[in-house]
């Protein structure tokens, strides 16, 4: 029998004992606990300071194990799962009673996914229960893509973080629901809409958060840094804000008018996947600098660029 990484065994032990542990996934780090245990779910909400009306995503190791806690797997969900799992796609499926209402904030559907990170897949395969795991950040702040990010904010509140390096996708999973048989996009994320539509045809967008208060991931202001963030034409914004200490979050180039150490370039080679991977780390780095404002521009609105632009928009909105 192969020897199992001792760090995985430690996580397994704590989770089995009803503790909450941070785990790596390919998208962002998660704050994980036994999805069947209400007390554990309450702990997750408390540690994150998350409102109870915001449902959690449940992570599992196989489609077979998911079948034990969802009522059905519609054909289109099956098609997507076959192609994109393990990976950054969450499917909203009708839940069975094993999943407490607390997990889904009273909704009849549960968000499920099989993550692709090797350590977490191994961990899930050793557990006798699935893991409910929101992103491991305080509610409303930027999601963590490194162990350092997790420890900076939640280190004192959890007994253990399973270290799994830097998240390779860097942006949360795409969420798809199947309302009345119609595939619906609930959150842009690590699998592009184009890739999903290639498999199941057109996907409709969800109504905005104001009409759907149960999905704070869709709230206008979310993923927000503390330093105000303004989106527009960076060159023009530099001129308009010349009297301030400026930080820049740019897609692919530096701006000579601003100190290099106050600038984050998401992808010097203009690659949207690389930009997604660097987005949250760059926002966090800028947020720690002694600057008055972060100036940013939208990236090309295709592929993962759509998810990046969605996060930028929410990071900015609270300041208008
Ligand atoms: O990539 C990810 O999805 C990461 C990693 C850890 O897996 N998780 C994550 O979880 O981003 P969280 O809790 O930060 O965001 C989950 C989003 C929330 O906006 C929530 O409203 C939505 O998923 N959600 C969960 N269950 C839902 C449901 N049944 N119906 C509608 N939205 C749901
Ligand atoms: Mg989150």
């Amino acid at each position: 029998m192969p020897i199992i990484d001792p760090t995985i065994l430690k996580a397994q032990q704590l989770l089995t004992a009803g503790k909450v542990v941070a785990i790596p996934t390919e998208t962002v780090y998660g704050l994980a606990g036994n999805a069947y245990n209400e007390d554990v779910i309450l702990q997750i909400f408390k540690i994150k300071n998350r409102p109870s009306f915001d449902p959690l995503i449940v992570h599992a190791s196989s489609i077979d194990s998911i079948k034990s806690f969802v009522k059905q797997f519609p054909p289109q969900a099956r098609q997507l799962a076959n192609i994109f799992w393990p990976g950054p796609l969450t499917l909203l499926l009708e839940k069975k009673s094993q999943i407490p209402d607390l997990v889904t904030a009273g909704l009849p559907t549960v968000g499920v996914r099989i993550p692709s990170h090797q350590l977490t897949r191994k961990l899930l395969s050793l557990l006798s229960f699935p893991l409910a795991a929101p992103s491991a950040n305080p509610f409303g702040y930027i999601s963590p893509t490194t162990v350092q990010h997790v420890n900076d904010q939640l280190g004192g509140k959890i007994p253990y973080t399973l270290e799994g390096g830097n998240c390779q996708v860097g942006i949360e999973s795409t969420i798809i629901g199947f309302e009345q048989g119609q595939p619906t996009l609930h959150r842009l994320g690590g699998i592009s809409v184009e890739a999903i539509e290639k498999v199941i045809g057109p996907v409709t967008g969800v109504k905005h958060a104001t009409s759907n208060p149960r999905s704070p991931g869709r709230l206008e202001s979310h993923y927000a840094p503390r330093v105000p963030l303004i989106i527009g034409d960076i060159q023009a914004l530099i001129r308009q804000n010349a009297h301030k200490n400026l930080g820049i979050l740019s897609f692919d180039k530096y701006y000579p008018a601003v100190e290099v150490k106050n600038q984050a370039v998401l992808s010097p080679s203009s690659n949207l996947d690389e930009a997604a991977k660097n987005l949250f780390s760059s926002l966090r780095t800028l947020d720690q600098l002694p600057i008055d404002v972060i100036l940013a521009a939208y990236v090309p609105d295709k592929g993962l660029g759509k998810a990046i632009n969605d996060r930028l928009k929410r990071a900015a909105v609270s300041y208008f």
Side-chain angles (χ1 to χ4, degrees):
M1 240 191 30
I3 296 164
I4 297 166
D5 187 329
T7 63
I8 300 181
L9 289 179
K10 166 122 187 182
Q12 179 201 16
Q13 201 179 31
L14 287 163
L15 288 162
T16 305
K19 306 285 185 213
V20 172
V21 163
I23 56 164
T25 83
E26 70 281 18
T27 60
V28 301
Y29 272 77
L31 189 62
N34 181 348
Y36 294 154
N37 185 323
E38 290 201 0
D39 291 337
V40 172
I41 302 305
L42 284 172
Q43 278 184 59
I44 293 177
F45 277 98
K46 193 162 163 222
I47 294 167
K48 242 191 101 89
N49 198 16
R50 181 177 176 118
S52 60
F53 57 76
D54 191 5
L56 306 182
I57 291 174
V58 173
H59 302 69
S61 62
S62 68
I63 292 186
D64 273 350
S65 67
I66 290 171
K67 280 189 191 150
S68 65
F69 62 84
V70 305
K71 283 187 184 158
Q72 341 163 357
F73 228 106
Q76 286 166 319
R78 160 76 56 168
Q79 276 177 290
L80 291 175
N82 285 342
I83 291 186
F84 297 115
W85 280 353
L89 175 70
T90 293
L91 301 174
L92 302 178
L93 304 175
E94 222 182 311
K95 81 175 187 73
K96 287 187 187 161
S97 60
Q98 288 98 311
I99 300 287
D101 289 337
L102 263 178
V103 170
T104 65
L107 293 172
T109 55
V110 57
V112 290
R113 80 179 189 99
I114 302 180
S116 68
H117 193 289
Q118 288 304 323
L119 285 183
T120 290
R121 280 190 78 190
K122 182 75 206 169
L123 171 65
L124 284 164
S125 73
L126 294 173
L127 295 168
S128 59
F129 47 82
L131 291 175
S135 51
N137 53 283
F139 183 70
Y141 194 64
I142 304 157
S143 296
T145 54
T146 69
V147 170
Q148 181 75 43
H149 295 164
V150 176
N151 290 341
D152 283 350
Q153 291 182 305
L154 301 181
K157 296 184 171 179
I158 51 177
Y160 192 60
T161 297
L162 178 60
E163 299 202 7
N166 295 357
C167 300
Q168 291 304 302
V169 175
I171 207 155
E172 300 89 342
S173 59
T174 302
I175 304 181
I176 302 284
F178 303 90
E179 286 76 15
Q180 283 98 45
Q182 170 59 44
T184 313
L185 176 72
H186 286 249
R187 178 175 72 184
L188 289 158
I191 301 280
S192 71
V193 177
E194 293 93 323
I196 286 168
E197 292 191 329
K198 241 185 227 165
V199 180
I200 54 167
V203 169
T204 39
V206 272
K207 286 185 212 75
H208 201 268
T210 44
S211 57
N212 189 13
R214 281 191 162 156
S215 288
R218 304 278 314 163
L219 283 179
E220 282 191 11
S221 167
H222 213 66
Y223 314 102
R226 294 184 194 90
V227 177
L229 183 138
I230 304 176
I231 306 171
D233 175 69
I234 292 179
Q235 202 60 61
L237 289 172
I238 291 174
R239 281 195 299 275
Q240 288 158 20
N241 292 276
H243 55 291
K244 292 184 186 153
N245 274 330
L246 300 179
I248 308 278
L249 180 71
S250 107
F251 178 37
D252 55 6
K253 62 171 184 282
Y254 285 95
Y255 289 79
V258 174
E259 283 184 89
V260 169
K261 70 174 170 52
N262 285 1
Q263 300 193 50
V265 174
L266 294 174
S267 171
S269 61
S270 313
N271 177 312
L272 288 166
D273 295 350
E274 184 185 32
K277 183 175 163 183
N278 291 327
L279 177 67
F280 291 148
S281 303
S282 301
L283 273 171
R284 279 180 184 252
T285 304
L286 289 168
D287 205 19
Q288 275 159 18
L289 296 173
I291 52 178
D292 300 320
V293 63
I294 300 168
L295 308 180
Y298 286 123
V299 303
D301 206 40
K302 57 177 190 212
L304 293 202
K306 286 185 182 158
I308 295 172
N309 289 339
D310 169 78
R311 304 304 191 269
L312 284 175
K313 196 152 110 196
R314 287 161 212 266
V317 82
S318 48
Y319 303 104
F320 289 98

